[in-house]
Each structure stands twice: as C-alpha cells, then as structure tokens.
C-alpha cells in the first residue's frame, strides 16, 4: 500500500507541474475585434423555483453589448412564484413559435414572448429536471449557437461578444466561460464591475477555488483539448452538435455528461474540432453562503462525477482522445476521488503502525509549495484577464489560500468520499441549493419594472 501511495504521489506531481507551467505559457488575452459579424445566439436559462434569483439573471442580460441574441427562460414546473415573476417583469404574451421536434422532453404548456423585451421568451413546461429543460430550450432555440446558463448566473456586458469571437474559429465546437462569485462584486457609479475579496470565510474559499479552477485548471485542459467539464453555469455550443448527441441526459450532472458526449462524438467522426476555455467571457454566480448548502452543492458535483466515471470508464481508451482519458481518469478520478480514500488509509496506517511520517511531511510540504505557486499564477492571470481586485485583495487572497489548504480542502476530501457513497442513493433531481438573490451586478429590469 505504501508503494501504491508513492505512485499516486508521483502522478500527482506530474499533473501539478503541468498545472503550474502550462497556464503561464498559453495565456493570451483576446482583444475584441469590432469588425467581426455577430452570430445569432440563443441563451437558455432553465429555472426551477427561482423566483428570488431570476430577476438578477435577466437584469444582467438586459445590459449586454450585443444585438443578435435571444433569451429563452425554461420554467420547469416551478412550485413557487417563478412564472408570476416572469409575467410581472416581462409582460408575457403567447407566441406561435414551433419547436424543431428533434429532442425529447416533457410537455410544453405554453411558449411566450415578452412585450417589454422582444428578444426574451419563456417556455412553460411540466417538471422534468434540468437536462429535460435544456433539451426543450435547444428544440425551441432559433439560433445556431446556444448558451446554457444557470438561473442565478449573470452575464458580464461583453460576454456574448467574446463568445461570438471564439466561434469565428471554425474548429471551436463548444466553449466554457469564466464563472466568478457575485458576492465579491458590485457596480460602481460608472457602471464598471468592481471586485473585492470580502465576505464570510466560506465565500472567500469559493472565490479562491473558482479563481484557481478556471485560470489554472481550465486553461491547462483547454491547451490539451481535454476539458472534462464545461460548467453548466456558462457554456456555449453549436446547436447542431447538441442535436447530434441527442441533447442532455437526465442525470445529476448534465454538464460533465454533455462535455464527454461531445468529446466522444468528435473522436467517433474523426473531426478536427476542439472544446476551449474562453477566459475573457465572464459570468457571475451566487455561491452557497452556509455549510449546509455548500455541502449539498459539492455532494451533487461529486455524484455527477461518479455517475460519468461508471458510464464512460470502460470506453475511455477506445472512444476518447488520449488527453481526455488522462485528465478524466487520472487527474479527475485517481487524483480526486480515489486518492481521497487512499490518503485516509495511508494516514490511518501511519498513525496506527508507525508509518514513515517524514515522507508524509515531505509530500505535504511539496503540496504546499505547488499550491502557493499555482495560487500566485491564478491571481496573476486573474489580473491579466481584467479583474479589478486591489493589490491588498490579492495579498489577502494569497494568505487566505494557504490557510484554506488545511481547512476547507479537508472538508472537500470528506465530501469526495461522502458523495461517492451517496451516489448510490439514486437521487437525480435538480439538487436544489437555497439562494438569496440579494446580490446583483446590474439593475436594468428591476428598475424598469417598478
């Protein structure tokens, strides 16, 4: 067992080296080209019991610097006042648009268009889950490019312009944008978004986690065309590809599943296509503010990962590229889920049987050094890609990250283990996490509706 642990440690060092070198090497900021023609874009927003957050989501989209887009909000049989809020804000009227009828989903009760904002539509359907709602949105979408967005996500004003620019590369088949925590952001008097490292420790931990996850991990995986998951909070796809892979599968983690289905589709058809990370395209999301909701969210993420491991593991070597297989199976499973179990076993063995504590201490020290280096890199890239944190914020973020490594990271170790066992509960619902909807980055619709 000891040698096995050392093997895992060696693989860990290889991937951490990649995550340290590649982001610095491949990070190039795209400048917006004002002369590029606009693709037509459909933004899909599945909503279930989102009466507190849906206003903020539409707020942000009303201020987008883009002209050729539509917004389709899919009300998935909400039991709260979501539909009433939509009627109030949008002044809905029946629209006669017909679906393509290429995907399956629960019955649609009504399709509506806003009198106040002609590019905003609402699909009212029976409850079928998030994947089912996205499939309905795809079927009704009028554009060749579709963006999937969580109901608590708020797009930054130029986000669609960046999505449009990336899709002018014919090789790009799908992309994921940068997701930031809205609790640390607000607009100043000039309309610019100001970011600050503030709030509860749990919120700060998630700000660090998202910053590292996107600017380090996503950039590295994108370099190897091996993105394992395009976040459901902000992803963009060619509609035709989503139809070709039969849309989203009803599962606890539809975002990781659709990403893997697209990779499999590319390999099966011998396509020279790629899934990329677009760091300049930004959206803001509300993160959990208490441990109860944080636990529920991360348990759901882990269950989603386990689900895809069980489904795709047997065909990784034959149906996926080498890069995707390595990042999914080795970095994701071996160094994520499996290593959580082996780490606990090794520590228990060392305590009970007097294992080599010196080796464990050396490995911990190396982990701390890699973590420090990667946090510095992620903060550098955060600034490079336009974040507005102050120098004092960056210093506080670095110091907090070192404390967070031995606190909240250990909680995540436990959640990886607990979520693996809880996967077998067979609960594939929305996995609803309570949100307050109290923080936003704009005031457009809210102000206009008063």
């Amino acid at each position: 067992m000891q040698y096995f642990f050392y093997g895992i440690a060696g693989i860990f060092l290889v991937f951490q080296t990649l995550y340290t070198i590649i982001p610095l090497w491949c990070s190039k900021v795209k400048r917006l080209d004002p002369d590029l023609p606009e693709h037509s874009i459909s933004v899909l927003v599945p909503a279930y019991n989102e009466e507190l957050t849906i206003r903020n989501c539409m707020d942000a989209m009303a201020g987008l610097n883009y002209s050729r887009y539509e917004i389709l909000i899919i009300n998935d049989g909400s039991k709260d006042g979501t539909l009433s809020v939509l009627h109030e804000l949008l002044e809905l009227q029946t629209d006669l648009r017909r679906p393509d009828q290429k995907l399956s989903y629960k019955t649609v009760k009504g399709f509506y268009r806003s009198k106040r904002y002609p590019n905003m539509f609402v699909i009212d359907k029976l409850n079928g889950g998030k994947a089912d709602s996205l499939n309905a949105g795809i079927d009704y979408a009028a554009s060749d490019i579709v963006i999937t967005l969580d109901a608590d996500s708020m797009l930054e004003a130029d986000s669609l312009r960046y999505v449009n620019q990336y899709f002018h590369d014919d090789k790009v088949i799908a992309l994921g944008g940068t997701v930031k925590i809205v609790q640390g952001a607000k607009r100043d008097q000039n309309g610019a978004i100001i970011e600050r490292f503030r709030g509860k420790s749990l919120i700060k931990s998630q700000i660090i986690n998202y910053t590292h996850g996107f600017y380090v991990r996503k950039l590295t995986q994108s370099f190897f065309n091996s993105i394992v998951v395009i976040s459901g909070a902000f992803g963009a796809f060619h509609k035709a590809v989503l139809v070709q892979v039969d849309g989203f599968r009803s599962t606890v983690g539809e975002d990781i599943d659709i990403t893997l289905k697209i990779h499999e589709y590319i390999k099966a058809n011998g396509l020279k296509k790629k899934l990329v990370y677009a760091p300049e395209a930004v959206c803001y999301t509300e993160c959990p503010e208490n441990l109860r909701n944080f636990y529920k969210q991360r348990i759901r993420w882990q269950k989603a990962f386990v689900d895809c491991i069980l489904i795709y593991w047997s065909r990784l070597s034959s149906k996926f590229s080498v890069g995707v297989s390595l990042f999914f199976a080795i970095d994701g499973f071996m160094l994520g889920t499996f290593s959580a179990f082996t780490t606990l076993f090794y520590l228990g063995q060392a305590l009970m049987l007097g294992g080599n504590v010196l080796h464990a201490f050396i490995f911990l020290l190396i982990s701390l050094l890699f973590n420090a280096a990667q946090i510095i890199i992620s903060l550098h890239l955060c600034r490079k890609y336009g974040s507005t944190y102050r120098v004092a914020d960056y210093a506080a973020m670095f110091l907090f990250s070192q404390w967070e490594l031995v606190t909240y990271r250990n909680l995540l170790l436990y959640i990886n283990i607990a979520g693996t066992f809880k996967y077998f509960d067979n609960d594939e619902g929305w996995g609803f996490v309570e949100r307050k909807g109290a923080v936003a980055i704009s005031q457009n619709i809210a102000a206009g509706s008063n």
Side-chain angles (χ1 to χ4, degrees), residues 13 356-370:
L13 294 178
N356 198 325
V357 178
L358 178 60
H359 287 182
F361 176 77
I362 292 174
F363 182 69
L364 175 62
L365 181 61
I366 293 173
S367 299
L368 289 171
L369 291 174
F370 267 117

Side-chain angles (χ1 to χ4, degrees), residues 47-61:
Y48 175 72
N49 292 350
E50 296 284 0
E51 64 177 341
L52 296 179
T53 59
I54 197 68
R55 182 189 303 262
N56 292 339
C57 179
M58 291 185 295
D59 251 2
M61 285 190 283

Side-chain angles (χ1 to χ4, degrees), residues 314-330:
S314 63
R315 56 184 193 261
L316 276 177
S317 60
S318 59
K319 302 292 186 180
F320 293 86
S321 69
V322 174
V324 173
S325 300
L326 290 175
F327 277 97
F328 183 58
I330 306 300

Side-chain angles (χ1 to χ4, degrees), residues 147-163:
I147 288 178
T148 61
L149 205 69
D150 284 348
D152 65 328
S153 294
M154 290 154 269
L155 291 173
E156 191 272 331
D158 286 326
S159 55
L160 294 194
R161 297 180 67 194
Y162 282 112
V163 169

Side-chain angles (χ1 to χ4, degrees), residues 366-387:
I366 293 173
S367 299
L368 289 171
L369 291 174
F370 267 117
N371 179 73
Q374 289 178 18
I375 291 298
I376 291 172
I377 291 168
S378 66
L379 296 180
H380 163 69
L381 295 177
C382 185
R383 187 176 184 84
K384 181 176 180 178
Y385 283 104
S387 289

Side-chain angles (χ1 to χ4, degrees), residues 41-96:
I41 296 175
S42 296
V43 182
L44 312 183
V45 186
Y48 175 72
N49 292 350
E50 296 284 0
E51 64 177 341
L52 296 179
T53 59
I54 197 68
R55 182 189 303 262
N56 292 339
C57 179
M58 291 185 295
D59 251 2
M61 285 190 283
L64 293 174
N65 297 326
Y66 205 75
S67 57
R68 296 190 64 198
Y69 75 100
E70 65 173 8
I71 299 163
L72 280 76
I73 301 149
I74 306 103
N75 179 48
D76 190 50
S78 296
K79 298 177 182 178
D80 66 352
T82 298
L83 189 59
S84 296
V85 171
L86 292 171
H87 273 289
E88 173 194 348
L89 297 178
L90 303 180
E91 296 183 17
L92 298 176
Q93 59 183 2
T94 301
D95 189 87
L96 298 180

Side-chain angles (χ1 to χ4, degrees), residues 84-247:
S84 296
V85 171
L86 292 171
H87 273 289
E88 173 194 348
L89 297 178
L90 303 180
E91 296 183 17
L92 298 176
Q93 59 183 2
T94 301
D95 189 87
L96 298 180
R97 182 187 297 187
R98 294 289 180 260
D100 296 336
Q101 296 184 331
K102 293 182 178 180
L103 297 176
S104 300
Y105 44 87
K106 295 289 185 179
T107 301
V108 171
K109 298 187 293 182
F111 184 83
Y112 305 96
R113 186 172 193 165
S114 170
K115 291 183 182 179
R116 183 174 291 161
Y117 305 97
N119 65 333
M120 290 191 177
F121 301 84
V122 172
I123 300 172
D124 184 32
K125 61 183 287 293
L126 299 179
N127 180 263
K130 187 175 180 180
D132 191 82
S133 297
L134 289 170
N135 288 339
I138 295 165
D139 219 32
Y140 275 87
S143 306
D144 293 330
I145 295 173
V146 297
I147 288 178
T148 61
L149 205 69
D150 284 348
D152 65 328
S153 294
M154 290 154 269
L155 291 173
E156 191 272 331
D158 286 326
S159 55
L160 294 194
R161 297 180 67 194
Y162 282 112
V163 169
N164 175 66
Q165 185 155 313
Y166 273 90
F167 274 107
H168 273 277
D169 180 348
D170 292 336
K171 292 183 179 180
V172 174
I173 200 170
L175 66 81
T178 299
V179 182
K180 296 185 177 183
I181 303 299
V182 74
Q183 283 96 326
K186 65 178 182 179
R187 286 194 181 274
D188 66 11
Q189 294 178 343
N190 298 320
I193 297 177
I194 303 300
E195 296 169 296
R196 294 291 179 262
F197 188 58
R198 61 187 182 186
K200 302 176 182 177
S201 292
L202 182 60
I203 294 174
K204 290 180 177 179
S205 173
Q206 291 171 89
I207 291 175
I208 295 292
N209 183 262
Y210 275 55
T211 302
H212 175 270
F214 283 93
Y215 291 119
V216 169
R217 299 183 70 86
K218 294 290 188 189
L219 267 175
T220 302
Q221 293 175 11
S222 181
F223 177 80
F224 291 105
N225 193 18
S226 301
I227 290 179
V228 174
V229 54
I230 291 178
S231 172
F234 185 16
F237 310 84
H238 276 295
K239 176 180 174 178
V241 175
L242 295 176
V243 173
Q244 286 293 324
V245 300
D246 295 323

